[in-house]
């Protein structure tokens, strides 16, 4: 069946890229590096992005100027650290469409955010015979927590299959969702296929059966404008490190009424209101879900990453990637023996481009490219069930971001051609 993705609809922007890549590149110190005697061509952005100087500086400035533990102290440093941390929370709330900042829970990443939901909401709401619906393209982070929960609760884990083009096959959706479906957990953008899923449409169908919708936005949030309410999500998760921010910081956004009804996740300091030896009451949102000392420096520096992306404009980021993905796909397909997994139309996908060579192993491709200073990823990309569905052991994946340009793609294509010649292909 054919359908238009939500974001493809909103991303049909006219004109050419408005990103000034050569200026952007000067903000990223690591891009000035030589690797194995060559200019670094960083094409592993789906794994993690590089960081601009403003983020690196904010991290170090936090430690050199106002390091203190947050929320508890009454001294100046503690107040400064608390307000910087809480400012990022407000910033995140605005970045994903202007939600209530009490609905922003900081975690250490998407993985922890999804586990939080599985171990709190899931523990409370999933029982024998209930169904959880995922897709065949999920990252392990949005699969294993639901598999473990289903097995523990004797619930049923179902999945939306894929078309040959690596899009969701929604032809049978009404048979996959029923009154027994309690949760639909889907990725917004696949880290392997690049596919942008029609999460809004799936959300509408899910809600009509009373199911909650969790969207794994780890790949989408760095690359396109996100408005969680407009998408119709109940829960949305993402990681700072894939969007110019530090590692060890992630976000769970959830509707306040849902989060309020959920039991706490980790217990201990900070998440309590009152503790006695025989009873405890819990803090209000968002603190109820943030036990212990968080990654304060990381959260504080994440603020600059959001500012950086906002200054570029997320519509421009998306437009740049549509153009560059289109160019990369075209150039890669010019090479004999190369096959691309996932949709070929850049309007339907992001910049994570998985490919295989008829003869060469993805690990060998990655090693050869590294010798030319080109960083890509090879493997199962934390999506082993998807690999089996595609009949592949592994793929090579080049993934793009704001500081990549056509030159990077040309270097990649030239190296791939050289490698094929080297192996007599
Ligand atoms: N979901 C998707 C789609 C991802 O690409 C990733 C990271 N590769 C994750 C979840 C997990 O993110 P993290 O490792 O930051 O927790």
């Amino acid at each position: 069946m054919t359908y238009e993705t939500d974001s493809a609809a909103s991303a049909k922007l006219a004109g050419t890229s408005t990103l000034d890549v050569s200026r952007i590149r000067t903000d990223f110190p690591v891009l000035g590096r030589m690797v194995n005697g060559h200019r670094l061509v960083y094409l592993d952005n789906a794994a993690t992005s590089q960081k601009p100087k403003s983020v690196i500086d904010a991290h170090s400035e936090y430690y050199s100027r106002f390091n203190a533990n947050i929320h508890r102290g009454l001294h100046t440093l503690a107040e400064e650290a608390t307000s910087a941390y809480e400012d990022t929370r407000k910033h995140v709330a605005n970045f994903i469409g202007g939600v209530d900042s009490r609905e922003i829970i900081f975690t250490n990443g998407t993985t922890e955010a999804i586990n939080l939901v599985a171990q709190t909401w899931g523990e409370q709401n999933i029982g024998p015979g209930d169904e959880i619906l995922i897709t065949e393209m999920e990252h392990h982070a949005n699969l294993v927590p639901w598999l473990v929960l289903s097995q523990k609760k004797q619930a049923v884990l179902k999945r939306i299959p894929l078309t040959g083009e690596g899009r969701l096959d929604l032809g049978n959706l009404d048979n996959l969702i029923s009154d027994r479906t309690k949760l639909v957990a889907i990725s917004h953008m696949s880290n392997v296929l690049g596919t942008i899923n029609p999460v809004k449409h799936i959300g509408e169908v899910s809600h009509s059966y009373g199911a909650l919708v969790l969207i794994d936005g780890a790949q989408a949030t760095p690359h396109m404008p996100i408005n969680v309410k407009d998408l119709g999500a109940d829960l949305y998760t993402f990681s700072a490190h894939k969007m110019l921010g530090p590692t060890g910081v992630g976000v769970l956004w959830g509707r306040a009424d849902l989060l309020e009804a959920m039991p706490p996740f980790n217990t201990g300091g900070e998440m309590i209101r009152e503790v006695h030896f025989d009873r405890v009451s819990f803090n209000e949102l968002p603190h109820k879900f943030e036990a212990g000392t968080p990654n304060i420096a990381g959260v504080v520096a994440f603020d600059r990453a959001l500012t950086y992306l906002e200054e570029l404009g997320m519509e421009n980021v998306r437009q740049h990637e549509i153009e560059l993905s289109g160019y990369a796909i075209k150039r890669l397909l010019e090479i004999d023996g190369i096959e691309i997994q996932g949709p070929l139309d850049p309007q339907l996908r992001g910049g994570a481009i998985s490919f295989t060579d008829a003869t060469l192993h993805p690990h060998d491709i990655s090693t050869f490219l590294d010798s030319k200073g080109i960083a890509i990823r090879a493997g199962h990309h934390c999506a082993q069930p998807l690999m089996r569905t595609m009949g592949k052991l592994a793929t090579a994946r080049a993934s793009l971001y704001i500081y990549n340009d056509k030159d990077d793609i040309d270097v990649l294509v030239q190296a791939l051609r050289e490698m094929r010649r080297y192996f007599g292909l």
Side-chain angles (χ1 to χ4, degrees), residues 149-369:
L149 181 71
S150 307
Q151 288 176 338
K152 185 172 167 195
K153 300 283 189 169
Q154 282 131 34
V156 182
L157 187 63
K158 291 194 158 180
R159 52 188 200 264
I160 304 175
L162 304 186
T163 66
E165 197 199 1
R167 298 173 73 192
L168 293 180
D169 182 350
L170 298 179
N172 208 20
L173 188 60
D174 278 310
N175 293 326
L176 287 169
I177 305 186
S178 73
D179 295 339
R180 287 190 301 277
T181 313
K182 293 286 176 299
L183 177 76
V184 177
I186 43 176
S187 52
H188 197 168
M189 185 195 288
S190 164
N191 65 312
V192 178
L193 304 165
T195 316
I196 298 170
N197 290 319
V199 288
K200 187 168 180 169
H201 169 65
I202 298 171
E204 281 161 7
V205 178
S206 311
H207 286 149
S208 73
Y209 287 95
L212 282 190
V213 177
L214 177 144
I215 302 175
D216 169 359
Q219 292 295 337
T221 315
H223 301 280
M224 61 173 68
I226 298 296
N227 184 318
V228 290
K229 290 215 174 126
D230 186 51
L231 289 172
D234 297 299
L235 298 146
Y236 196 96
T237 60
F238 53 100
S239 301
H241 71 92
K242 294 186 198 286
M243 48 193 297
L244 310 182
T247 53
V249 177
V251 174
L252 166 67
W253 168 80
R255 276 175 22 220
D257 60 314
L258 257 183
L259 296 176
E260 260 151 14
M262 277 157 54
F265 178 44
N266 291 328
T267 55
E270 193 67 13
M271 53 75 69
I272 51 86
R273 190 189 305 277
E274 216 178 286
V275 182
H276 299 261
F277 280 118
D278 59 353
R279 63 188 187 280
V280 57
S281 57
F282 303 122
N283 207 338
E284 59 201 13
L285 293 179
H287 311 294
K288 176 172 118 182
F289 290 108
E290 293 181 8
T293 303
N295 182 352
I296 306 167
V299 168
V300 168
F302 183 33
D303 192 69
R304 305 283 174 91
L306 297 173
T307 302
Y308 195 97
L309 288 171
E310 281 165 345
E311 282 173 4
L312 294 180
M314 290 308 291
E315 293 282 359
N316 297 329
V317 170
R318 173 72 187 132
Q319 181 61 26
H320 171 72
E321 284 179 22
I322 290 173
E323 284 165 21
L324 200 56
S325 308
Y327 181 74
I329 290 168
K330 179 176 144 301
R331 294 294 327 272
L332 284 168
L333 289 177
E334 284 165 10
I335 307 173
D336 283 341
I338 296 274
E339 183 192 310
I340 289 179
Q341 283 74 39
L344 299 182
D345 178 352
Q347 297 281 355
L348 303 176
R349 54 144 47 248
I353 304 172
S354 272
F355 60 94
T356 44
D357 184 291
T359 317
L360 303 171
H361 193 284
H363 288 172
D364 294 333
I365 296 178
S366 179
T367 307
F368 185 88
L369 293 178

Side-chain angles (χ1 to χ4, degrees), residues 28 35 66 93 103 123 200 257 278 321 356 378 404 410-411:
F28 290 79
V35 172
F66 58 104
E103 298 176 324
E123 271 297 324
K200 187 168 180 169
D257 60 314
D278 59 353
E321 284 179 22
T356 44
N404 294 121
D410 292 343
V411 171

